Coordinates of all heavy atoms in Angstrom, one line a residue:
M1 N 11.4 23.4 19.4 CA 12.4 22.3 19.2 C 12.5 21.9 17.8 O 11.5 21.7 17.1 CB 12.0 21.1 20.1 CG 12.9 19.9 20.0 SD 12.3 18.6 21.0 CE 13.1 18.9 22.5
S2 N 13.7 21.7 17.3 CA 13.9 21.3 15.9 C 13.7 19.8 15.6 O 13.9 19.1 16.6 CB 15.3 21.8 15.4 OG 16.3 21.0 16.1
D3 N 13.3 19.5 14.4 CA 13.1 18.2 14.0 C 14.4 17.6 13.6 O 15.0 18.0 12.6 CB 12.1 18.1 12.9 CG 11.7 16.7 12.5 OD1 12.4 15.8 13.0 OD2 10.7 16.6 11.7
T4 N 14.9 16.6 14.3 CA 16.2 16.1 13.9 C 16.1 14.7 13.2 O 17.1 14.1 12.9 CB 17.1 15.8 15.1 OG1 16.4 14.9 16.0 CG2 17.4 17.1 15.9
R5 N 14.9 14.3 12.8 CA 14.8 13.0 12.1 C 15.5 13.2 10.7 O 15.4 14.2 10.1 CB 13.3 12.7 11.9 CG 12.7 12.3 13.3 CD 11.3 12.0 13.0 NE 10.6 13.3 12.7 CZ 9.2 13.5 12.5 NH1 8.4 12.4 12.7 NH2 8.8 14.6 12.4
C6 N 16.1 12.1 10.4 CA 16.8 12.1 9.0 C 15.9 11.8 7.9 O 15.7 10.5 7.8 CB 18.1 11.3 9.1 SG 19.0 11.3 7.6
R7 N 15.5 12.7 7.2 CA 14.6 12.3 6.0 C 15.5 11.8 5.0 O 16.6 12.4 4.8 CB 13.8 13.4 5.6 CG 12.8 13.9 6.7 CD 11.9 15.0 6.2 NE 11.4 15.7 7.4 CZ 10.3 15.3 8.1 NH1 9.9 14.0 7.9 NH2 9.8 15.9 9.1
R8 N 15.2 10.9 4.1 CA 15.9 10.4 3.0 C 17.3 9.7 3.4 O 18.2 9.7 2.5 CB 16.2 11.5 2.0 CG 14.9 12.4 1.7 CD 14.0 11.7 0.6 NE 12.8 12.4 0.6 CZ 12.4 13.5 0.0 NH1 13.4 14.2 -0.7 NH2 11.2 14.0 0.0
C9 N 17.3 9.2 4.6 CA 18.5 8.5 5.0 C 18.3 7.0 5.0 O 17.2 6.5 5.4 CB 19.0 9.0 6.3 SG 19.9 10.5 6.3
L10 N 19.3 6.3 4.8 CA 19.3 4.8 4.9 C 20.0 4.4 6.2 O 20.7 5.2 6.7 CB 20.0 4.1 3.7 CG 19.4 4.5 2.4 CD1 20.3 3.9 1.3 CD2 18.0 4.1 2.2
L11 N 19.8 3.2 6.6 CA 20.5 2.7 7.9 C 21.9 2.9 7.8 O 22.6 3.4 8.8 CB 20.2 1.2 8.1 CG 18.8 0.9 8.7 CD1 18.6 -0.7 8.7 CD2 18.7 1.5 10.1
R12 N 22.5 2.7 6.6 CA 24.0 2.7 6.4 C 24.5 4.1 6.6 O 25.7 4.3 6.7 CB 24.4 2.2 5.1 CG 23.9 3.1 3.9 CD 24.3 2.6 2.5 NE 23.6 1.4 2.2 CZ 23.4 0.9 0.9 NH1 24.1 1.5 0.0 NH2 22.8 -0.1 0.6
E13 N 23.6 5.1 6.6 CA 24.0 6.5 6.7 C 23.7 7.1 8.0 O 24.1 8.2 8.4 CB 23.3 7.4 5.6 CG 23.6 7.0 4.3 CD 22.6 7.3 3.1 OE1 21.5 7.7 3.5 OE2 23.0 7.2 2.0
L14 N 23.1 6.3 8.9 CA 22.7 6.8 10.2 C 23.7 6.3 11.2 O 23.9 5.1 11.4 CB 21.3 6.3 10.6 CG 20.1 6.9 9.8 CD1 18.8 6.0 10.3 CD2 20.0 8.3 10.0
A15 N 24.3 7.1 12.0 CA 25.3 6.7 13.0 C 24.7 5.7 14.0 O 25.2 4.7 14.3 CB 25.8 7.9 13.8
E16 N 23.4 5.9 14.4 CA 22.7 5.0 15.3 C 22.2 3.8 14.6 O 21.8 2.9 15.2 CB 21.6 5.8 16.0 CG 20.4 6.1 15.1 CD 20.6 7.5 14.5 OE1 21.7 8.0 14.3 OE2 19.6 8.1 14.2
G17 N 22.3 3.7 13.3 CA 21.9 2.5 12.5 C 23.0 1.6 12.2 O 22.7 0.6 11.6
A18 N 24.2 1.8 12.6 CA 25.4 1.0 12.2 C 25.2 -0.4 12.6 O 25.4 -1.3 11.7 CB 26.6 1.6 12.8
A19 N 24.8 -0.7 13.8 CA 24.8 -2.1 14.2 C 23.6 -2.8 13.5 O 23.7 -4.0 13.0 CB 24.5 -2.2 15.8
L20 N 22.5 -2.1 13.4 CA 21.4 -2.8 12.6 C 21.7 -3.0 11.1 O 21.4 -4.0 10.5 CB 20.2 -1.8 12.7 CG 18.8 -2.3 12.3 CD1 18.6 -3.7 12.9 CD2 17.8 -1.4 12.8
Y21 N 22.5 -2.0 10.6 CA 23.0 -2.2 9.2 C 23.8 -3.4 9.0 O 23.8 -4.2 8.1 CB 23.7 -0.9 8.6 CG 24.1 -1.1 7.2 CD1 23.1 -1.4 6.3 CD2 25.4 -0.9 6.8 CE1 23.6 -1.6 4.9 CE2 25.7 -1.2 5.6 CZ 24.8 -1.4 4.5 OH 25.2 -1.6 3.2
E22 N 24.7 -3.6 10.0 CA 25.5 -4.9 9.9 C 24.6 -6.2 9.9 O 24.9 -7.1 9.2 CB 26.5 -4.9 11.1 CG 27.6 -4.0 11.1 CD 28.4 -4.0 9.7 OE1 28.8 -5.2 9.3 OE2 28.6 -3.0 9.0
S23 N 23.5 -6.1 10.7 CA 22.5 -7.1 10.7 C 21.9 -7.3 9.4 O 21.6 -8.5 8.9 CB 21.4 -7.0 11.7 OG 22.0 -6.9 13.0
V24 N 21.5 -6.1 8.7 CA 20.9 -6.2 7.4 C 21.9 -6.9 6.4 O 21.4 -7.7 5.5 CB 20.5 -4.8 6.9 CG1 20.1 -4.8 5.4 CG2 19.5 -4.3 7.8
K25 N 23.1 -6.5 6.4 CA 24.2 -7.1 5.5 C 24.2 -8.7 5.7 O 24.3 -9.4 4.7 CB 25.5 -6.5 5.7 CG 25.6 -5.1 5.1 CD 27.1 -4.7 4.8 CE 27.9 -4.5 6.1 NZ 29.2 -3.8 5.9
A26 N 24.3 -9.1 6.9 CA 24.3 -10.5 7.3 C 23.1 -11.2 6.8 O 23.1 -12.2 6.2 CB 24.5 -10.7 8.8
Y27 N 21.9 -10.5 6.9 CA 20.6 -11.1 6.5 C 20.6 -11.3 5.0 O 20.2 -12.4 4.4 CB 19.5 -10.2 6.9 CG 18.2 -10.4 6.2 CD1 17.3 -11.5 6.6 CD2 17.7 -9.4 5.4 CE1 16.2 -11.7 6.0 CE2 16.4 -9.6 4.8 CZ 15.7 -10.7 5.1 OH 14.5 -10.9 4.6
R28 N 21.2 -10.2 4.3 CA 21.2 -10.5 2.8 C 22.1 -11.6 2.4 O 21.8 -12.2 1.4 CB 21.8 -9.2 2.2 CG 20.8 -8.0 2.0 CD 21.2 -6.9 1.0 NE 21.0 -7.4 -0.4 CZ 22.0 -7.3 -1.3 NH1 23.1 -6.7 -1.1 NH2 21.8 -7.7 -2.5
Q29 N 23.3 -11.7 3.0 CA 24.2 -12.8 2.6 C 23.6 -14.1 3.0 O 23.9 -15.1 2.2 CB 25.5 -12.6 3.5 CG 26.3 -11.5 2.9 CD 26.5 -11.4 1.5 OE1 26.9 -12.4 0.8 NE2 26.3 -10.3 0.7
E30 N 22.8 -14.2 3.9 CA 22.1 -15.5 4.2 C 21.0 -15.9 3.2 O 20.6 -17.1 3.2 CB 21.6 -15.5 5.6 CG 22.6 -15.5 6.7 CD 22.2 -15.3 8.1 OE1 21.0 -15.3 8.3 OE2 23.0 -15.1 9.0
L31 N 20.5 -15.0 2.4 CA 19.4 -15.2 1.6 C 20.0 -16.0 0.4 O 21.1 -15.8 -0.1 CB 18.8 -14.0 1.1 CG 18.0 -13.1 2.0 CD1 17.6 -11.8 1.3 CD2 16.7 -13.8 2.5
S32 N 19.2 -17.0 -0.2 CA 19.7 -17.7 -1.3 C 19.7 -16.8 -2.5 O 19.0 -15.8 -2.5 CB 18.7 -19.0 -1.6 OG 17.5 -18.4 -2.1
E33 N 20.5 -17.3 -3.5 CA 20.6 -16.4 -4.8 C 19.2 -16.3 -5.4 O 18.9 -15.3 -6.0 CB 21.6 -16.9 -5.6 CG 22.9 -16.2 -5.6 CD 23.8 -16.7 -6.8 OE1 23.5 -16.5 -8.0 OE2 24.9 -17.2 -6.3
D34 N 18.4 -17.3 -5.2 CA 17.1 -17.2 -5.9 C 16.2 -16.2 -5.2 O 15.3 -15.6 -5.7 CB 16.3 -18.5 -5.7 CG 17.0 -19.6 -6.7 OD1 17.8 -19.2 -7.5 OD2 16.6 -20.8 -6.5
T35 N 16.5 -15.9 -3.9 CA 15.6 -14.9 -3.1 C 16.2 -13.6 -3.0 O 15.4 -12.6 -3.0 CB 15.6 -15.5 -1.7 OG1 15.2 -17.0 -1.7 CG2 14.7 -14.7 -0.8
R36 N 17.5 -13.5 -3.0 CA 18.2 -12.2 -2.8 C 18.2 -11.3 -4.0 O 18.4 -11.7 -5.2 CB 19.7 -12.4 -2.4 CG 20.4 -11.1 -2.1 CD 21.9 -11.3 -1.9 NE 22.2 -12.6 -1.3 CZ 23.1 -13.4 -1.8 NH1 23.8 -13.2 -2.9 NH2 23.4 -14.6 -1.2
T37 N 17.7 -10.0 -3.8 CA 17.8 -9.0 -4.9 C 19.3 -8.8 -5.2 O 20.1 -8.6 -4.5 CB 17.2 -7.7 -4.4 OG1 15.9 -7.9 -3.8 CG2 17.1 -6.7 -5.5
P38 N 19.6 -9.0 -6.6 CA 21.0 -8.8 -7.0 C 21.5 -7.3 -6.6 O 20.7 -6.4 -6.6 CB 20.8 -8.8 -8.6 CG 19.5 -9.7 -8.7 CD 18.7 -9.3 -7.7
D39 N 22.8 -7.3 -6.4 CA 23.4 -6.0 -5.9 C 23.0 -4.7 -6.7 O 22.6 -3.8 -6.0 CB 24.9 -6.1 -5.9 CG 25.4 -7.2 -4.8 OD1 24.6 -7.6 -4.0 OD2 26.6 -7.5 -4.9
G40 N 23.0 -4.8 -7.9 CA 22.7 -3.6 -8.7 C 21.2 -3.2 -8.6 O 21.0 -2.1 -8.5
E41 N 20.4 -4.2 -8.6 CA 19.0 -3.9 -8.4 C 18.7 -3.4 -7.0 O 17.9 -2.5 -6.8 CB 18.1 -5.1 -8.8 CG 16.6 -4.8 -8.7 CD 15.7 -6.0 -8.9 OE1 16.2 -6.9 -9.6 OE2 14.5 -5.9 -8.7
F42 N 19.3 -4.0 -6.0 CA 19.2 -3.5 -4.6 C 19.5 -2.1 -4.5 O 18.8 -1.3 -3.9 CB 20.1 -4.5 -3.7 CG 20.1 -4.1 -2.3 CD1 19.0 -4.4 -1.5 CD2 21.2 -3.6 -1.7 CE1 19.0 -4.2 -0.2 CE2 21.1 -3.3 -0.3 CZ 20.1 -3.6 0.4
E43 N 20.7 -1.7 -5.1 CA 21.0 -0.3 -4.9 C 20.2 0.6 -5.8 O 19.9 1.7 -5.3 CB 22.5 -0.1 -5.5 CG 23.6 -0.8 -4.6 CD 23.7 -0.4 -3.2 OE1 23.3 0.8 -2.9 OE2 23.8 -1.1 -2.2
A44 N 19.7 0.2 -6.9 CA 18.7 1.0 -7.6 C 17.4 1.1 -6.8 O 16.8 2.2 -6.8 CB 18.4 0.3 -9.0
R45 N 17.0 0.1 -6.2 CA 15.7 0.2 -5.2 C 16.0 1.3 -4.2 O 15.1 2.1 -4.0 CB 15.5 -1.1 -4.6 CG 14.9 -2.2 -5.5 CD 14.6 -3.4 -4.8 NE 13.8 -4.4 -5.7 CZ 13.3 -5.4 -5.3 NH1 13.4 -5.8 -4.0 NH2 12.6 -6.2 -6.1
L46 N 17.2 1.2 -3.6 CA 17.5 2.2 -2.5 C 17.7 3.5 -3.0 O 17.3 4.6 -2.3 CB 18.8 1.7 -1.8 CG 18.6 0.4 -1.1 CD1 19.9 0.0 -0.3 CD2 17.4 0.4 -0.1
D47 N 18.1 3.8 -4.3 CA 18.2 5.1 -4.8 C 16.7 5.7 -5.0 O 16.6 6.9 -4.8 CB 18.9 5.1 -6.2 CG 20.4 4.9 -6.2 OD1 21.0 5.2 -5.0 OD2 21.0 4.7 -7.1
L48 N 15.9 4.8 -5.4 CA 14.4 5.3 -5.5 C 13.9 5.6 -4.1 O 13.2 6.7 -4.0 CB 13.6 4.3 -6.3 CG 13.9 4.1 -7.7 CD1 13.3 2.8 -8.2 CD2 13.4 5.3 -8.5
C49 N 14.2 4.9 -3.2 CA 13.8 5.2 -1.8 C 14.3 6.5 -1.3 O 13.6 7.3 -0.7 CB 14.2 4.1 -0.9 SG 13.2 2.5 -1.0
R50 N 15.5 6.8 -1.6 CA 16.3 8.0 -1.2 C 15.5 9.2 -1.7 O 15.5 10.3 -1.2 CB 17.7 8.0 -1.6 CG 18.7 7.5 -0.6 CD 20.1 8.1 -0.9 NE 21.1 7.3 -0.3 CZ 21.6 6.3 -0.9 NH1 21.3 5.9 -2.1 NH2 22.6 5.6 -0.2
A51 N 15.0 9.1 -2.9 CA 14.3 10.2 -3.6 C 12.9 10.3 -3.2 O 12.1 11.1 -3.8 CB 14.5 10.1 -5.1
C52 N 12.4 9.4 -2.4 CA 10.9 9.2 -2.1 C 10.5 10.0 -0.8 O 11.3 10.0 0.2 CB 10.6 7.8 -1.9 SG 8.8 7.5 -1.5
R53 N 9.4 10.7 -0.9 CA 9.0 11.5 0.2 C 8.5 10.6 1.3 O 8.4 11.1 2.5 CB 7.9 12.4 -0.2 CG 6.6 11.7 -0.7 CD 5.6 12.8 -1.3 NE 4.5 12.2 -1.7 CZ 3.3 12.3 -1.2 NH1 3.1 13.1 -0.1 NH2 2.2 11.8 -1.6
Y54 N 8.4 9.3 1.2 CA 7.9 8.5 2.3 C 9.0 8.0 3.1 O 8.8 7.2 4.0 CB 7.0 7.4 1.8 CG 5.8 7.8 1.2 CD1 5.4 7.7 -0.2 CD2 4.8 8.5 1.9 CE1 4.3 8.1 -0.7 CE2 3.6 9.0 1.3 CZ 3.4 8.8 0.1 OH 2.2 9.3 -0.5
L55 N 10.3 8.2 2.7 CA 11.5 7.7 3.4 C 11.8 8.6 4.6 O 11.9 9.8 4.4 CB 12.7 7.5 2.5 CG 13.9 6.9 3.2 CD1 13.8 5.6 3.7 CD2 15.3 7.1 2.4
Q56 N 11.8 8.1 5.8 CA 12.1 8.8 6.9 C 12.9 8.0 7.9 O 12.4 6.9 8.4 CB 10.8 9.3 7.6 CG 11.0 10.3 8.7 CD 9.7 11.0 9.2 OE1 9.1 11.7 8.4 NE2 9.3 10.7 10.3
N57 N 14.1 8.4 8.3 CA 15.0 7.8 9.2 C 15.1 6.2 8.9 O 15.0 5.4 9.6 CB 14.2 7.8 10.6 CG 15.1 8.4 11.7 OD1 16.2 8.9 11.4 ND2 14.7 8.3 12.9
A58 N 15.4 6.0 7.6 CA 15.7 4.7 7.0 C 14.4 3.8 6.9 O 14.5 2.7 6.5 CB 16.7 4.0 7.8
T59 N 13.3 4.4 7.2 CA 12.0 3.7 7.3 C 11.1 4.1 6.3 O 10.8 5.4 6.1 CB 11.3 3.8 8.8 OG1 12.3 3.4 9.7 CG2 10.1 3.0 8.9
C60 N 10.4 3.2 5.6 CA 9.3 3.6 4.7 C 8.0 3.9 5.5 O 7.5 3.1 6.3 CB 9.0 2.4 3.7 SG 7.6 2.8 2.7
M61 N 7.5 5.0 5.4 CA 6.3 5.5 6.1 C 5.0 5.0 5.4 O 4.0 5.0 6.0 CB 6.2 7.1 6.2 CG 7.5 7.6 6.9 SD 8.0 6.8 8.4 CE 6.7 7.3 9.5
Q62 N 5.1 4.2 4.4 CA 4.0 3.6 3.8 C 3.9 2.1 4.4 O 2.7 1.7 4.6 CB 4.1 3.4 2.3 CG 3.8 4.8 1.5 CD 2.4 5.2 1.8 OE1 1.5 4.4 1.6 NE2 2.1 6.4 2.2
C63 N 4.9 1.4 4.6 CA 4.8 0.0 5.1 C 5.4 -0.2 6.5 O 5.2 -1.2 7.1 CB 5.4 -0.9 4.1 SG 7.2 -0.7 3.9
G64 N 6.2 0.8 6.9 CA 6.8 0.7 8.3 C 8.1 -0.2 8.3 O 8.7 -0.5 9.3
C65 N 8.6 -0.5 7.1 CA 9.8 -1.4 7.0 C 11.0 -0.6 7.0 O 10.9 0.6 6.4 CB 9.7 -2.2 5.8 SG 8.4 -3.4 5.7
Y66 N 12.1 -1.0 7.5 CA 13.4 -0.4 7.0 C 13.6 -0.8 5.6 O 13.5 -2.0 5.2 CB 14.6 -1.1 7.9 CG 14.6 -0.6 9.3 CD1 14.5 -1.5 10.3 CD2 14.9 0.8 9.5 CE1 14.5 -1.1 11.6 CE2 14.9 1.2 10.9 CZ 14.8 0.3 11.9 OH 14.8 0.8 13.1
V67 N 13.9 0.2 4.8 CA 13.9 0.0 3.3 C 15.0 -1.0 2.9 O 14.9 -1.8 2.0 CB 13.9 1.2 2.4 CG1 12.6 2.1 2.6 CG2 15.0 2.0 2.8
E68 N 16.1 -1.0 3.6 CA 17.2 -1.9 3.3 C 16.8 -3.4 3.5 O 17.3 -4.3 2.8 CB 18.5 -1.6 4.0 CG 19.2 -0.4 3.4 CD 19.7 0.6 4.4 OE1 18.9 1.0 5.3 OE2 20.9 0.9 4.4
I69 N 15.9 -3.6 4.4 CA 15.4 -5.0 4.6 C 14.3 -5.3 3.5 O 14.3 -6.4 2.9 CB 14.9 -5.1 6.0 CG1 16.0 -5.0 7.1 CG2 14.1 -6.5 6.2 CD1 15.5 -5.1 8.6
R70 N 13.4 -4.4 3.3 CA 12.3 -4.6 2.3 C 13.0 -4.8 1.0 O 12.4 -5.7 0.1 CB 11.3 -3.5 2.3 CG 10.2 -3.7 1.4 CD 9.1 -2.8 1.6 NE 7.9 -3.2 0.9 CZ 6.8 -3.8 1.4 NH1 6.9 -4.1 2.7 NH2 5.9 -4.2 0.6
A71 N 14.0 -4.1 0.6 CA 14.6 -4.2 -0.8 C 15.4 -5.4 -0.9 O 15.8 -5.8 -2.0 CB 15.4 -3.0 -1.1
A72 N 15.7 -6.2 0.1 CA 16.6 -7.2 0.0 C 16.1 -8.5 -0.6 O 16.9 -9.3 -1.3 CB 17.1 -7.7 1.5
K73 N 14.8 -8.7 -0.6 CA 14.2 -9.9 -1.3 C 13.6 -9.5 -2.6 O 12.8 -8.6 -2.7 CB 13.2 -10.6 -0.4 CG 13.7 -11.4 0.8 CD 12.6 -12.1 1.5 CE 13.1 -13.0 2.5 NZ 12.1 -13.8 3.2
K74 N 14.0 -10.1 -3.7 CA 13.6 -9.7 -4.9 C 12.0 -9.8 -5.2 O 11.5 -9.1 -6.0 CB 14.3 -10.3 -6.1 CG 14.2 -11.7 -6.3 CD 15.2 -12.2 -7.4 CE 15.4 -13.7 -7.4 NZ 16.4 -14.1 -8.5
D75 N 11.4 -10.7 -4.5 CA 9.9 -10.8 -4.7 C 9.1 -9.9 -3.8 O 7.8 -9.9 -3.9 CB 9.5 -12.3 -4.4 CG 10.0 -13.3 -5.4 OD1 10.5 -12.8 -6.6 OD2 10.0 -14.5 -5.2
I76 N 9.8 -9.1 -3.1 CA 9.0 -8.1 -2.2 C 9.2 -6.7 -3.0 O 10.3 -6.4 -3.3 CB 9.5 -8.1 -0.8 CG1 9.3 -9.4 -0.2 CG2 8.8 -7.0 0.0 CD1 9.7 -9.6 1.3
H77 N 8.1 -6.1 -3.1 CA 8.1 -4.8 -3.8 C 7.7 -3.6 -2.9 O 7.2 -3.7 -1.8 CB 7.3 -4.9 -5.1 CG 7.8 -6.0 -5.9 ND1 8.8 -5.8 -6.9 CD2 7.4 -7.3 -6.1 CE1 9.1 -6.9 -7.5 NE2 8.3 -7.9 -7.0
C78 N 8.0 -2.4 -3.5 CA 7.6 -1.1 -2.9 C 6.0 -1.1 -2.8 O 5.4 -1.4 -3.8 CB 8.1 0.0 -3.8 SG 7.4 1.6 -3.5
P79 N 5.5 -0.6 -1.6 CA 4.1 -0.5 -1.4 C 3.5 0.6 -2.4 O 2.3 0.5 -2.7 CB 3.9 -0.1 0.0 CG 5.2 0.4 0.4 CD 6.2 -0.3 -0.4
M80 N 4.3 1.4 -2.9 CA 3.7 2.4 -3.8 C 4.1 2.1 -5.3 O 4.0 2.9 -6.2 CB 4.4 3.9 -3.5 CG 3.9 4.3 -2.1 SD 2.1 4.3 -1.8 CE 1.8 5.8 -2.7
E81 N 4.6 0.9 -5.5 CA 5.0 0.3 -6.9 C 6.1 1.2 -7.5 O 6.0 1.3 -8.8 CB 3.6 0.2 -7.8 CG 2.6 -0.7 -7.1 CD 1.4 -0.9 -7.9 OE1 1.3 -0.1 -9.0 OE2 0.6 -1.7 -7.5
K82 N 7.0 1.7 -6.8 CA 8.0 2.5 -7.4 C 9.2 1.5 -7.7 O 10.0 1.8 -8.6 CB 8.7 3.5 -6.4 CG 7.6 4.6 -6.1 CD 8.2 5.8 -5.2 CE 7.1 6.8 -5.1 NZ 7.8 8.0 -4.6
W83 N 9.2 0.3 -7.1 CA 10.1 -0.7 -7.6 C 9.5 -2.1 -7.4 O 8.6 -2.2 -6.6 CB 11.5 -0.6 -6.9 CG 11.7 -0.3 -5.5 CD1 11.9 0.9 -4.9 CD2 11.5 -1.3 -4.4 NE1 12.0 0.8 -3.6 CE2 11.7 -0.5 -3.2 CE3 11.3 -2.7 -4.3 CZ2 11.7 -1.1 -1.9 CZ3 11.2 -3.2 -3.1 CH2 11.4 -2.5 -1.9
Ligands
SF4_101 S1 9.5 1.4 -0.3 FE1 8.5 2.7 -2.0 S2 7.2 4.0 -0.8 FE2 8.6 3.2 0.7 S3 10.3 4.7 0.8 FE3 10.9 3.2 -0.7 S4 10.1 4.0 -2.8 FE4 9.1 5.1 -1.1

């Protein structure tokens, strides 16, 4: 049986993640400006996740978080100190 897990994918790229990604977008919008990672930094964090061997099916295999949620708050960082 083949492995169909999507490595290096974000929720926004997974068909089955669409509803959850809408929740992530709403969650980001609800964060205060003091708390929310600015858009450019958010995308830069996600680019690093996409290139990381620990990303699997939108989830960081080091911390168990969906990376789009973990990257949303500027005071929360990568468990491997990549961002
Ligand atoms: S949070 Fe860090 S360890 Fe996890 S997938 Fe992203 S870059 Fe990799």
Side-chain angles (χ1 to χ4, degrees):
M1 178 184 267
S2 67
D3 183 350
T4 59
R5 288 174 295 185
C6 180
R7 300 184 196 283
R8 315 278 164 78
C9 281
L10 302 174
L11 283 173
R12 66 178 74 164
E13 297 157 345
L14 295 174
E16 66 272 27
L20 194 47
Y21 181 57
E22 290 304 312
S23 300
V24 170
K25 284 200 292 189
Y27 166 71
R28 277 197 80 222
Q29 288 309 311
E30 287 170 11
L31 294 173
S32 69
E33 255 187 64
D34 287 348
T35 306
R36 184 187 325 129
T37 307
D39 291 350
E41 185 180 340
F42 181 69
E43 293 303 324
R45 287 178 171 195
L46 296 179
D47 284 346
L48 289 167
C49 289
R50 271 203 196 89
C52 177
R53 67 190 177 110
Y54 296 116
L55 182 66
Q56 186 170 296
N57 234 9
T59 304
C60 172
M61 301 313 288
Q62 283 296 310
C63 66
C65 296
Y66 287 117
V67 293
E68 283 139 305
I69 294 175
R70 189 170 185 97
K73 284 187 174 179
K74 63 182 168 189
D75 290 344
I76 296 179
H77 297 281
C78 163
M80 299 303 286
E81 301 181 356
K82 296 187 178 197
W83 46 259

